[in-house]
Amino acid sequence: MKEKFKNIETAVIHAGYDAKEHLGSLTTPIFQTSTFSFDSAEQGERRFAGEEDGYIYSRIGNPTVRALEERIAELEGAEAGLAFGSGMAAVSAILIALTKSGDHILCSQGIYGCTFGLLELMAEKYQITHDFCAMETEAQIEAQIRPETTCIYVETPINPTMKLIDLELVAKTAKKHGIPVVVDNTFSSPYLQQPLKSGCDIVLHSATKYIGGHGDVIAGLAAGTKEMMNTIAKTTLKDVGGVLSPFDAWLLLRGLKTLHVRLDRHCENAAYIVEQLKKHPAVKNVFYPGDEASHDYKIMQKQMRKGGGLISFEINGSKKQAQKLLNDLSFINIAVSLGDAETLIQHPATMTHSGIPEEMRNQMGISDELIRLSIGLEAKEDIWEDLKQALDQLRKA
Ligand SMILES: *Cc1c(COP(=O)(O)O)cnc(C)c1O
């Protein structure tokens, strides 16, 4: 494992890039090219045969993208990394690579809406089935592992209920059965949580969120062993083709340089907003893993640096009132996505999770009164003032 930098705060800025190799250019050059010219026919032959390192065609590899892949590998403490055109391109490339017709995937309770959609499609078209599991104890996980289970797929914190899964527990149980554990680490970023260090096998991100951090790019990343990443690179990345553009890779390299600084502030702001929300009479419940009163606080301390920038809360009221709250805000944006400088608010039951059947949604804890906040980088007092005036109006209504 090539972990060159002791501290992640340095690695987010330097890993995977050496200015000396690029005429001293401080920032990574954007290699905006589709193909690469060979010195000779024989060199082309050697490159295709894998006998000589070097670039061939940007869907197979590109230097700007490669720098990003090396950086994410180092940030996650992995042997190798891969970049994708979206978070879903990463999810699909990994799940397709790990399964064949007749296989079974065991998932955490509550996964990203489009991942759910992909699993439904895989079940319908390719007979690759899936189940959901609370994963609270080893026995619970064991009970749902089948001979044909070839992948355990976990999100933690779970969107939008903010429940946590104990990654060490899942990894330990999976290892007994030789099943790889894939973790969608989008909500935490490698700064707050490094699933491979808990024994999981593949980590993936929607880099659209905290890694990009500025709401201006759609991208995905993954990291794991050289062998697994090579298999994916040569099959479901190259042949399905969900690759990242060099310019978008550059945006992510730029975003990553401030990951730790941004996340520290996201977390500080979120902790403050949680305290205020808990005191407001229009608020029924607040869900935040960094809250000492949270059911999952112990797991948070074990595997996360801090509680993160996402909060969900339930109001005393109905769907109509939840919608009114959103409409009464001033600068807080009504938008899905997360991890941006702007504070974003959304209503999961009618937005991100509207595709999930109501009964299942309720089982997952996604009520009509549940609201999700992605706390931005604005002054925490201003964020609270905006939320408070809208919550106060609910009280009066
Ligand atoms: C956004 C998101 C995805 C999908 O990523 P895209 O970049 O939008 O394709 C997957 N998982 C989680 C947890 C997400 O928040």
Side-chain angles (χ1 to χ4, degrees), residues 85-89 91 112 114-115 153 155 159 184 186-187 204-209 218-220 337-338 372:
S86 71
M88 283 317 300
V91 174
Y112 185 69
C114 299
T115 304
Y153 188 91
E155 273 183 38
N159 179 26
D184 181 336
T186 301
F187 271 37
L204 70 91
H205 292 274
S206 166
T208 311
K209 318 293 169 54
I218 298 276
S337 198
L338 56 110
R372 190 189 77 186

Side-chain angles (χ1 to χ4, degrees), residues 166-169 198 297-304:
D166 183 337
L167 291 174
E168 206 179 67
L169 172 80
S198 301
Y297 188 67
K298 274 219 162 67
I299 303 178
M300 192 287 292
Q301 284 184 306
K302 194 164 108 175
Q303 66 194 27
M304 293 173 76

Side-chain angles (χ1 to χ4, degrees), residues 48-76:
F48 270 88
E51 291 161 9
E52 179 189 299
D53 279 346
Y55 294 97
I56 295 174
Y57 182 70
S58 278
R59 181 157 41 72
I60 303 170
N62 173 283
T64 314
V65 176
R66 184 64 48 84
L68 173 67
E69 291 174 333
E70 284 179 18
R71 191 164 296 176
I72 191 64
E74 183 146 341
L75 298 182
E76 290 288 4

